[in-house]
Amino acid sequence: MPAPFLLTTEPWIPVWDLDAAAARDVGLTEALLRAHRLRLPADRAEGVALFRLLAAVYDAAAGPRDAAEWDAAWKAETLDAAAVTAYLDRWADHLDLFHPEHPALQCGALTEYARGPEALHPGTLGGAAAAWFSHELYQPLPPYPAARAAQLLLHLLAYDVAGIKRAAPGDPATKGGKVYGAQIGPAASATHCHLTVLGGTLKDDLLLNLPPQPRADGDAPVWERDTPPAPMRSRTPTGRLDLLTWPTRRIRLHATDDGTVDAVAHHDGDRLPDLWQHSSRLDPMTAWATSKAGTPIPLPVLDDQSWPQPWRGAVLLSSTREHSAVVQHAVAAAERGTLAPGLSLHAVLGTTLYSNQHQSAISDITVTVTPLGTTGQLADPAAREQLATMSRYADVIGSNLRQHAVKISGRPSAQVAPRMLLHDLDRDWEEAVRVHAQDPDQGRALWRDAVHAAAERCIDAFPLRPMERGKLLAQYRQDPAPQPKPRKRAPKTPPAPAAPRRAAGTGRRGPASTTYEVFDGRYTLNQLSRHPNCVVSYPTLRKRVVEDGWDITEAATTPGGRGSRRTT
């Protein structure tokens, strides 16, 4: 039997130690007790998963319950050492990676290990082509050291893909030894958003990303609960701590006598109905937009070619249809004067990209760190609105550019749009936000000029005749003029009713094809289902639009299975 590996005391969390001026690994207890002297790199997917765990542990141990407690915690030199130590001592055995009954973050009911250590490798989430990009998967992997296995366990719980899973023993949903319809977890389904202080510490980041609130009745993180049953189940979260530590999968690590992990049990876990509704309500480290129907959808921070658009995070500063609980919390703390006005805040935005509509293979997990401004800017309502307006300006110019290019060139939107996306504005946005803090007018002018320069680089690279190029340069800053609808003459006599059209390849009769204005053009649902920007099949698209009343853009761009959506 392997020796215990206590996540509280064993070194496994990679940090930068300001006192040692070196990178080192620490346990949960040291991470929280010395959070004021440590930094946690969280600009990659593994770092995001670690940060979410640390936030949940601190919230459960000593999270502030109201604004007064939060302000006191922010002003204190350290986190509450007595509360943290007492809490982690109490739950240390439930935070043992190899505990025989309730292993940390795992299912103690599992005893059959059908997969090797490759099940923990992040590359396996890429599907059948994973070995092309992770060459070590071409051969059997050696056992993982316990510390590395703990890191990879967190990553797998956060980002494991949807689809078919091996059935756990005794699962009544088993069909041929498998269960179907596994969900992705809360961390992967939404746009992750947490704030970090430029030059700050782990203490700063933890407090910034935990808006004060009392623990909800019955709420508890996974280590405070009995080990989950082996079969998959559906349930609703009891509160923030439950959601932040949601057991998306039933996993158990098999340890050798020397404490390395050589095999893994891996099955479906808890499923969460109305995923986006619960995440938007309970998970503060997410960013949301609002659909036309009034439902939350993950804030889009990538363009149509999946390139990060760093300026888009600033729309969260506005009081419109975009929101994030951690940004609202930081604004409130800045307005109270708790945050010193010179602190520079950045948003860490994460999005999971899938290579198929079933979300069963990940193509990338993008993590973008983008400046939001100083706390002085956040405390000023006018400055917040200006930064949000600057953010939207880039998207307005980009949309105008694509629409005018289609109209002037005569080429189809699907051919033009990928060539007219604004790129290479990361440093321009950072500089514009920095200058805006001292001179708002100059900051806005810098950003406007940078956006225009990016647009004109796209125009120069696009094959146009000189006259067309000149016309596009003159017009792309203007909103495209609406196309006048042709006037219809009233018929002299009522026409005979048109015969219903038959659906192609069937004997069924149905209504005439309707066209929809979307993606800079007009398409029938059949045509739209083949558009490169559409991520669902025709039957799904038709059901959403015709039967369920979805907005056409939302219906085409929301991947199947990513939460449920209620119509109003």
Side-chain angles (χ1 to χ4, degrees), residues 467-480:
M467 184 176 295
E468 293 174 332
R469 179 171 283 104
K471 192 174 182 180
L472 185 53
L473 285 168
Q475 294 183 7
Y476 79 87
R477 302 181 198 182
Q478 307 169 10
D479 288 332

Side-chain angles (χ1 to χ4, degrees), residues 207-490:
L207 287 168
L208 275 177
N209 292 286
L210 288 172
Q213 67 175 46
R215 186 188 288 210
D217 291 341
D219 187 24
V222 68
W223 53 84
E224 289 186 21
R225 302 171 182 270
D226 293 336
T227 193
M232 173 272 296
R233 63 184 176 181
S234 293
R235 65 181 183 89
T236 57
T238 56
R240 181 162 84 181
L241 291 169
D242 188 10
L243 189 66
L244 286 176
T245 61
W246 190 258
T248 307
R249 297 289 178 264
R250 301 285 187 263
I251 298 174
R252 189 167 190 183
L253 308 179
H254 179 268
T256 63
D257 289 342
D258 64 358
T260 61
V261 173
D262 66 345
V264 180
H266 180 200
H267 308 280
D268 194 14
D270 285 7
R271 297 184 183 181
L272 200 160
D274 297 323
L275 182 55
W276 286 352
Q277 291 284 357
H278 289 300
S279 292
S280 63
R281 179 173 61 89
L282 295 175
D283 188 345
M285 289 179 281
T286 50
W288 301 91
T290 305
S291 72
K292 292 181 180 179
T295 57
I297 56 175
L299 179 73
V301 294
L302 308 177
D303 66 18
D304 292 341
Q305 299 295 304
S306 301
W307 287 99
Q309 306 293 279
W311 57 85
R312 287 188 178 170
V315 300
L316 298 168
L317 298 174
S318 180
S319 55
T320 57
R321 298 170 68 88
E322 297 87 10
H323 64 279
S324 172
V326 295
V327 174
Q328 294 168 348
H329 161 54
V331 166
E335 290 181 332
R336 292 196 304 271
T338 305
L339 302 179
L343 291 179
S344 180
L345 297 185
H346 284 61
V348 181
L349 302 168
T351 301
T352 307
L353 301 172
Y354 296 89
S355 54
N356 58 39
Q357 68 186 50
H358 306 294
Q359 299 173 301
S360 61
I362 289 178
S363 58
D364 196 11
I365 303 173
T366 67
V367 180
T368 305
V369 183
T370 180
L372 285 185
T374 65
T375 46
Q377 289 169 290
L378 267 62
D380 181 353
R384 295 198 303 269
E385 288 297 329
Q386 288 171 3
L387 289 169
T389 300
M390 287 166 58
S391 169
R392 292 193 182 94
Y393 182 73
D395 289 332
V396 169
I397 287 296
S399 177
N400 289 352
L401 178 66
R402 290 187 289 277
Q403 292 184 59
H404 280 296
V406 168
K407 181 181 176 182
I408 291 169
S409 70
R411 294 182 173 89
S413 175
Q415 183 184 103
V416 173
R419 303 283 295 273
M420 293 292 171
L421 297 173
L422 304 183
H423 292 306
D424 300 326
L425 285 167
D426 309 49
R427 293 185 179 179
D428 296 296
W429 173 251
E430 187 169 353
E431 179 67 7
V433 172
R434 185 190 66 79
V435 171
H436 182 276
Q438 305 299 324
D439 187 336
D441 290 339
Q442 186 181 357
R444 291 198 298 270
L446 280 174
W447 181 238
R448 182 185 63 244
D449 292 346
V451 170
H452 293 169
E456 289 166 16
R457 288 194 296 269
C458 293
I459 295 172
D460 289 342
F462 194 70
L464 292 167
R465 290 188 288 269
M467 184 176 295
E468 293 174 332
R469 179 171 283 104
K471 192 174 182 180
L472 185 53
L473 285 168
Q475 294 183 7
Y476 79 87
R477 302 181 198 182
Q478 307 169 10
D479 288 332
Q483 298 297 313
K485 295 183 179 179
R487 297 179 60 183
K488 295 182 178 179
R489 296 183 180 180

Side-chain angles (χ1 to χ4, degrees), residues 24 35 46 48 54 58 67 132 145 176 182 186 188 192 223 254 264 330 347 395 458 493 555:
R24 50 188 294 264
E46 287 187 29
V48 167
L54 283 166
Y58 171 65
W132 284 93
H192 172 85
W223 53 84
H254 179 268
V264 180
D395 289 332
C458 293
T493 58

Side-chain angles (χ1 to χ4, degrees), residues 89-124:
D89 285 348
R90 177 185 178 187
W91 295 105
D93 64 333
H94 281 218
L95 290 166
D96 176 3
L97 197 66
F98 302 139
H99 194 282
E101 297 174 2
H102 35 72
L105 309 172
Q106 301 162 72
C107 175
L110 301 175
T111 58
E112 298 177 10
Y113 305 89
R115 300 184 66 182
E118 73 281 349
L120 295 173
H121 193 290
T124 61

